[in-house]
Amino acid sequence: MVKSSKKNNIPKYILSIFIITLHFMPIYILLTVSFKSPKDLSSRWVFPGYLYLKNFQTALGRSNFGQALINTAIIAVIAVVGIAFLGAITAYPLARNKSRFNKFIKGFIMGVMMVPPLSILVPLYSMLAKMNGISTYWGIIIVLITFQLPTSIYLYSNFISAIPVGLEEAASIDGCGPFKTFLYIIMPQLKPVTASVAIITGINCWNNYQFALYLLQSPKMRTVTLAISGFFSQDSSNVNGAAAAALLGISPVIVLFLLLQKYFIQGTIDSALK
Amino acid sequence: MKIKKVMRLIISTTAILGMLTGCSSNPEEGIKEGASATSETKSASAESTKEGAAPLTGVTIEFLYNLNGETTSDAILKACEDFTYETGIEVEAIMPGSNFSDTMKTRMAANQLPDIWTTHGWAVARYSEYLEPLNDQEFAASINPEIKDLVTGEDGNIYAAPLDMDLVGITYNGDLLTEAGVNVDELKTWEDFDAACKKVSDLGKTPIHIGGKDNFTIGNIFNDIAPTLYTNDNEANQKALLDGSFDWSQWDKAAGMLDAWNQKGYINPDCLTADYMTSIKAMAKGDVAFSFYGASGIAEVYAINANANIGFMPLPAKDNDSKQTLLVGEHFAAGVWKDSEHKKEAMQLLNYLMREDVCTELASVCAMPSGVSYVTSDTGKLAEYYAKYSEEGIQTVPYFDRAYLPSGMWNDLCTTGALILSGDSEGVQKATEQMESSYKEKMAQAN
Amino acid sequence: MKKKNFYINLFYIPAIILFIVFVAYPLIYGVRISFTNWNGYSQKMNYVGLKNYLRIFTDENVLIALRNTLIYGICSTLIQNVLGLAYAIFLNSKFKGRSIVRTIIYLPVMIAPLIMGYIMYFFVQYDGGAINDILHALHKAPVDLMSNGTVAVCIMTIINSIQFVGTAMIIYLAGLQNISVMYYEAAEIDGASKWQQFKNITLPLIVPALASSTVINLIGGLKLFDIIMALTSGGPGYSSHSLSTLITNQYFSAQNAGYASTIGLFTFALIMIISNLVSSYFDKKEVYM
């Protein structure tokens, strides 16, 4: 397979172009629509011959998009920190102490991944409402942490299982308590898997829709996905403005992805092949 | 080390992006620019520094509303701001968009409601359990009789304050009908309507446009057809629907009417997948003769094409012995949560909204007839129609599902309609069966 | 060591508390309302015993949603695995610019599914949609793709698959890179054809990748929600609902919260059973390797 690299590569390029076309099409159409004037009725395939930036102005102005971006960033960053820390600390005993009880605990945690969010929406809402957690950062963050935690625990426990126990035993002979052992011996070794956890759960937090929709009622708290869906789901006459909003909303993650590609890809591999 | 770098990069990138977009959004321009999607709450603290403003009381009340449209939304926000200026009570006005009723249901379930909210037709059937009766309020005595019944529960309590009311008929494009040789004033019965559709169809245009991607548009049609067939001038049926003894086998007439239009090709081919805006645009372009949207739909058409000749006609009658009718329903009506911590302040806001000047302003922005006798609103291009039908004494009847069906059956009107439009050969029969079984189930749920 | 092991168990208590408060308690509450005919918002509810559970088995709409859910789950998994593996093999061969191809394939994974749904409406729209524009250019009659439930289900399956095929591709790429070149060299000396090499070396050695890719895609497909809400909301009628979207429909629109809760529990059980069966099947397979 490797040897074929010296052969004629033209069929490969033809195939590549075909693949790129297929996967880039949605973004291409989003671009043409978002740069087009609402009065322009030409086909969606045609790129406008002019630059119509008013759509972006509409998108930015109308739903307080800047605020939405800041909200989403705050929520995603804090949630990811929580997910990573709690995930690591929970995974440690599960990886080190494989008793039957802990296996049951692990099974329970994995089960959480399969709960359809809507089936628990109302009790969740009532509870948060009683705690005054609706339309607050901490309310949505704690829910996101809970629902992303299984992924994080899963990744960390697989990773920790592969770390030899020798160092920890030495530390405990030296009189280190379990928490100190975890903090000074285990934590420093978790860097690579933390990148994976941060990226995978980070995308999910950034893109979350279902929880944000009900738990963030105040417009001041609106996230990017909510802001975009606001544009589309209304009987809005301005599809182009909505497209511009969508483009603005996905740009930060795409830019981030392009900058940090290596880690994104490593993250996906870690989550699957450890 | 790498991780730190990555995290720093992530944080700084998002922060920069946030700042950039934050800077470039000029709020004043933005709000004028935008249309209907989302609303902003304006900080009332800035207001308080203005001269003559009442000192802030420290109370903020939450007001949820569901009125779309840029101008309407802006007018509501402005009214809230002025209220803060006068009273020092801050208002957080929120428009949750198309998820309004889902949001409200979640909040009712949790018993955590907004202090004041718009009741969009459900003041009695859905919200009365949570609403404070308004009988003792000053405006209560002046509510127009057409709308008063709709916001009054069986217990005689008035649950919502109607600023305006929605009078609904069939929207038509006057130019297209003229071209097809149809005189709209002569469409007295559904038979006449059918003949008009035929003429439009012969021109190669679409007689009826439905944007059924969101299936509320399909449910609307049954709300228009059903009263004319079953409940207008038929007290036996009205009673039967309410006590559970209605004979649903006759529903095939309503379902069959929609099916017949579809079979004859009177409805646009993409009726199940087109969205609401497609309908509006088609109407504005003059490709479509009739649509079943209310006055707010007409306003959207005018927003696209100010020169369009759009009007609305009363609903045809089932035969020559019956009269034409218009549907009447709540549009901008609001009520106060009975368990609100700030009930007094919420009531103050409600009374402020009902004050003559404010109510006139808001009802005029909505371009709908006022809900109270002491206000006359400016209904713009539709004024001539309201005047004409009021002069002719066209009878008004309530929305079919709100008045006669148990809550929750709206979904059945929408889905059975979609089934029929999908061209299912047994669609009419299946629709009839579903309506009957769902009706029985909902009646059981209510008791 | 024993004592210490017991103490470190205390570390998972915060997480367990979160799960009990925010997942287990709401689920139990859901079980309670599944025995009622609650409308979803009133403070009143009546117990109806097992009625909702019996109704699931006779409800045609649940059957349709179940069928669709399985299509969304299984077909997405099939497409993503076959296409993902093909992409991985293709991109595992050396040529200049392959990293660009890889980036583009992976890019849509970043986009929220809801937004992807909105974007795809630009394609499938009857009036002015990108697909009908092509048909128009070819002088063909326009098609109303989403008006037929079955077609809509297939289209949304494909959209979901194409969007997330990047994940499967990356997993397979990693799997392929773990296979030593020596095996292929030995096979080539023995005169094995490319197909034989693929069947006898690549496939067996890639089972771990296959296992994770299958489980991830399966859960994703079975829980598919946002794309459906953006494109059809489950319509026309009930024809393109998945179990997840049917829960929303029954909860909010039809106001059968008790019944919606029952469907929710049923969905939870279904996803749990299917993914456990699949992963234990692969666990056994790996033992034999």
Side-chain angles (χ1 to χ4, degrees), chain A residues 11-255:
Chain A
K12 280 184 188 166
Y13 286 117
I14 293 173
L15 189 58
S16 296
I17 289 168
F18 179 77
I19 294 172
I20 291 179
T21 312
L22 177 70
H23 288 271
F24 196 68
M25 225 157 46
I27 297 176
Y28 172 78
I29 294 287
L30 186 64
L31 284 170
T32 64
V33 177
S34 55
F35 280 104
K36 219 172 250 188
S37 148
K39 297 220 163 70
D40 186 339
L41 294 175
S42 64
S43 163
R44 294 205 162 120
W45 296 100
V46 180
F47 214 85
Y50 50 87
L51 217 56
Y52 188 83
L53 294 175
K54 214 172 158 197
N55 294 327
F56 292 90
Q57 209 182 341
T58 310
L60 284 170
R62 197 160 83 189
S63 58
N64 212 350
F65 213 81
Q67 181 66 44
L69 268 175
I70 293 168
N71 288 341
T72 317
I74 291 174
I75 290 167
V77 169
I78 300 180
V80 164
V81 171
I83 292 162
F85 178 73
L86 270 179
I89 205 170
T90 310
Y92 180 55
L94 294 179
R96 280 292 180 254
N97 183 0
K98 290 186 172 152
S99 64
R100 193 174 287 175
F101 182 69
N102 279 6
K103 274 200 179 133
F104 164 77
I105 294 284
K106 205 172 170 184
F108 168 72
I109 292 172
M110 291 306 117
V112 172
M113 277 205 253
M114 292 148 201
V115 177
L118 267 162
S119 60
I120 58 162
L121 176 71
V122 163
L124 192 64
Y125 184 94
S126 317
M127 202 158 50
L128 274 174
K130 280 183 197 123
M131 301 189 233
N132 289 322
I134 301 300
S135 294
T136 60
Y137 285 127
W138 69 264
I140 184 88
I141 287 171
I142 206 163
V143 171
L144 287 177
I145 289 180
T146 308
F147 281 84
Q148 293 299 319
L149 207 46
T151 316
S152 162
I153 294 172
Y154 177 72
L155 289 174
Y156 276 118
S157 74
N158 285 348
F159 191 87
I160 295 174
S161 299
I163 301 176
V165 287
L167 268 179
E168 290 156 65
E169 279 165 357
S172 96
I173 291 163
D174 286 350
C176 259
F179 190 71
K180 269 193 168 166
T181 312
F182 173 76
L183 214 59
Y184 295 114
I185 311 290
I186 300 294
M187 282 277 261
Q189 300 186 63
L190 296 180
K191 276 175 189 166
V193 68
T194 303
S196 313
V197 169
I199 281 159
I200 290 178
T201 60
I203 300 172
N204 291 339
C205 292
W206 185 278
N207 285 341
N208 180 273
Y209 172 67
Q210 289 185 51
F211 287 127
L213 177 62
Y214 294 101
L215 303 184
L216 299 176
Q217 306 248 336
S218 160
K220 285 176 203 153
M221 294 299 297
R222 197 166 275 143
T223 61
V224 171
T225 316
L226 289 183
I228 297 170
S229 81
F231 275 97
F232 277 95
S233 63
Q234 296 295 308
D235 33 4
S236 148
S237 51
N238 191 351
V239 178
N240 306 78
L247 191 62
L248 287 173
I250 61 174
S251 314
V253 266
I254 287 187
V255 169

Side-chain angles (χ1 to χ4, degrees), chain B residues 171-197:
Chain B
T171 305
Y172 63 81
N173 187 315
D175 293 339
L176 181 53
L177 288 185
T178 313
E179 194 188 336
V182 175
N183 179 355
V184 111
D185 294 326
E186 286 167 6
L187 305 182
K188 302 283 185 203
T189 65
W190 286 113
E191 228 170 277
D192 301 337
F193 181 76
D194 207 274
C197 285

